[in-house]
Amino acid sequence: MPSVSVVGAGVAGLTIGYQLARRGYAVTIVERNAVVGGLGRTFHYGDFHFDVGPHRFHTENPRVAAFIRAILGEEAIEIPRKSGARMFGKYHEWPLRPSILAAMPIKLMVAGGRDLVLREKLGGESFEADVVNKYGRTLYNIFFEPYTRKFLFHSPSELHRDWARAGVNRAVIDKRAQADNLWSLLMNTLMPKPVETMFLYPPTGVGRFSDRLAESIVADGGRILLGQDVVRVETTGRRITAVETAAERIPCDNVVWTAPLTALNAMLGFTDVDLEYLSTLFYNFEIGKPPRLDYQWTYFGGDEIFSRVTAPEAFLPSTVPSGKSGLCVEVTCRQGDERWRAPERLTEQVVADLVRTEMINSASDIERVHVEAVPFTYPIYKLNYMRELTRNLRELGHYSNLLLAGRCGRFWYNNMDHSIGQ
């Protein structure tokens, strides 16, 4: 059977490797990290288990659902979703409930009412135009604009409207609760429909799914090379003939690339492509007390340094020791910037904001903190991204035995179920 080199042992690469290995292909997976899972891995510190942010299995695709259940087996536990957002100095259920109205200053309520009547219409393809046209200038100014600047270091006017469709809509998850304009947002807030979204989640984090895929691949004769980065791609004409790490040259008949698209571009000489990824610092706190909130994850739209906080025990109590809790705090950055180079310098500020927002009572509640720097967590949909991506895919299409897959390999802001489904 033909040989296939898969670059990246995330959910996409492992799913493809699993399918091919079961069909008899000679599969070799190369992963730069010391563990499998990619953005869907789990960090384990003794009895504490932290995912890379709020990952969970949820899909409307029956084939994907059946595949996830088949891989996890008895470890596929159904749990309900409960998430929140902090706005106007208080915590609120997400999707929003009527309590948000009582927390709004009168001036904002009046301004929001004016937006309902005097609909502003912006032209163009920007994220700003998409949000203002749907929700009005007031909501844009108080939440979307500051949150986007904090999260992406770009103004919404510099981003493509696809960021709204990928980011804002996906935050809701259940289509029954979608709010695609200010009226529907208001109606969903005032008269929320009972929506109980169910997830599948393993007892010790979503990384268990990748672990089980990797075990099956090896059992079927595949190889998984951990802690090795691809440093060179060898080509002959219209084909890729081998990938190389610092340790070995791996000949192959086909290549599946799920690593960052920009890394492949650099190796193939496509240096003029303007595509950019965001990176994230994860501050994983072991808390010596029970949780103060029961949200699985919470969005923060204020002046906090972090944009989102995940509580693993709110998914399943088995992710933390009894009587304790965990907080996974996300601070975005650019790979190589000051935050990336010295993430420990931000720990004090992160802790201060956790206390200020009442996520914890005091800094003394914290027993340990583990800082994990994870590159290439989000593709950034700048205004020119579609033109640049289309041109890039056309150039890479020159190679007849190359398949791009996953969030990083397709420059695609997706969920794990989308990678599996692809």
Side-chain angles (χ1 to χ4, degrees):
M1 291 292 285
S3 60
V4 180
S5 290
V6 180
V7 181
V11 168
L14 290 170
T15 298
I16 293 170
Y18 173 88
Q19 300 287 347
L20 294 177
R22 286 175 64 87
R23 287 162 174 75
Y25 285 78
V27 174
T28 300
I29 301 179
V30 183
E31 170 56 48
R32 66 188 296 272
N33 291 311
V35 296
V36 298
L39 296 177
R41 67 187 182 274
T42 301
F43 298 108
H44 305 284
Y45 318 110
D47 292 329
F48 282 89
H49 310 283
F50 293 84
D51 296 330
V52 183
H55 282 81
R56 65 277 172 192
F57 294 103
H58 173 78
T59 180
E60 296 178 355
N61 184 327
R63 291 183 64 198
V64 172
F67 179 72
I68 294 170
R69 287 185 178 276
I71 297 300
L72 287 177
E74 73 285 352
E75 295 184 78
I77 300 173
E78 270 201 352
I79 61 171
R81 167 249 179 90
K82 187 174 184 182
S83 55
R86 184 175 171 85
M87 298 175 66
F88 313 117
K90 294 184 179 181
Y91 289 96
H92 307 275
E93 297 278 340
W94 182 269
L96 298 177
R97 301 292 189 265
S99 60
I100 187 68
L101 299 178
M104 289 181 66
I106 295 297
K107 286 184 178 180
L108 292 181
M109 293 180 67
V110 172
R114 188 169 59 244
D115 288 342
L116 284 170
V117 179
L118 305 175
R119 303 292 297 277
E120 183 177 353
K121 285 295 181 183
L122 297 182
E125 298 185 329
S126 72
F127 178 30
E128 177 187 20
D130 191 87
V131 171
V132 169
N133 292 343
K134 286 180 178 178
Y135 306 117
R137 178 65 63 177
T138 302
L139 197 55
Y140 171 83
N141 287 338
I142 65 176
F143 183 77
F144 288 102
E145 201 279 341
Y147 182 87
T148 302
R149 281 190 180 276
K150 177 171 69 171
F151 184 73
L152 287 173
F153 309 104
H154 281 281
S155 163
S157 63
E158 301 170 326
L159 301 173
H160 195 275
R161 65 186 180 194
D162 284 352
W163 183 260
R165 297 168 184 176
V168 177
N169 293 345
R170 286 170 63 253
V172 176
I173 297 178
D174 197 301
K175 292 181 179 179
R176 292 170 292 174
Q178 292 285 14
D180 57 4
N181 57 60
L182 190 55
W183 275 111
S184 60
L185 176 63
L186 181 62
M187 290 301 100
N188 281 340
T189 301
L190 292 173
M191 296 178 290
K193 300 175 184 178
V195 174
E196 186 172 54
T197 306
M198 301 301 293
F199 299 147
L200 293 179
Y201 195 82
T204 57
V206 295
R208 184 63 181 141
F209 177 77
S210 295
D211 292 339
R212 296 190 73 151
L213 281 175
E215 292 164 4
S216 295
I217 291 168
V218 172
D220 287 331
R223 286 202 309 157
I224 300 179
L225 308 179
L226 298 176
Q228 298 192 40
D229 209 353
V230 172
V231 296
R232 182 172 177 268
V233 173
E234 179 184 295
T235 64
T236 301
R238 292 176 53 87
R239 296 182 64 81
I240 296 175
T241 52
V243 296
E244 293 185 19
T245 71
E248 66 175 293
R249 175 182 178 274
I250 307 165
C252 53
D253 297 308
N254 299 281
V255 174
V256 177
W257 188 274
T258 72
L261 196 57
T262 49
L264 180 60
N265 287 337
M267 293 179 202
L268 294 176
F270 301 136
T271 57
D272 63 339
V273 181
D274 183 20
L275 295 175
E276 182 182 355
Y277 293 87
L278 190 70
S279 296
T280 306
L281 305 173
F282 294 89
Y283 295 79
N284 294 328
F285 291 95
E286 299 180 18
I287 310 297
K289 294 183 178 181
R292 302 202 69 203
L293 300 172
D294 61 352
Y295 295 131
Q296 292 158 337
W297 69 94
T298 306
Y299 299 103
F300 288 81
D303 61 354
E304 310 86 5
I305 190 173
F306 44 78
S307 53
R308 187 169 58 183
V309 175
T310 305
E313 73 283 344
F315 286 84
L316 282 176
S318 54
T319 56
V320 302
S322 177
K324 299 188 178 184
S325 58
L327 291 176
C328 171
V329 181
E330 298 177 46
V331 178
T332 53
C333 63
R334 304 285 181 82
Q335 188 178 15
D337 69 9
E338 185 177 354
R339 288 183 172 186
W340 179 267
R341 294 194 304 272
E344 67 282 351
R345 293 180 184 175
L346 299 178
T347 304
E348 185 175 344
Q349 185 177 351
V350 171
V351 172
D353 282 347
L354 288 175
V355 174
R356 180 165 62 93
T357 56
E358 300 180 310
M359 292 294 290
I360 57 176
N361 279 315
S362 70
S364 61
D365 294 348
I366 299 169
E367 294 185 339
R368 292 179 193 83
V369 59
H370 310 270
V371 183
E372 307 286 356
V374 181
F376 310 110
T377 44
Y378 298 92
I380 301 177
Y381 286 2
K382 294 185 291 188
L383 276 173
N384 67 344
Y385 99 94
M386 184 58 75
R387 180 179 68 252
E388 291 295 292
L389 180 58
T390 300
R391 179 168 67 90
N392 196 185
L393 294 178
R394 188 180 301 118
E395 291 171 329
L396 293 172
H398 173 81
Y399 298 98
S400 60
N401 63 337
L402 170 66
L403 173 71
L404 303 174
R407 176 182 285 200
C408 288
R410 291 290 299 184
F411 203 77
W412 180 25
Y413 184 9
N414 67 347
N415 279 336
M416 292 189 296
D417 62 294
H418 300 135
S419 287
I420 296 168
Q422 184 194 20

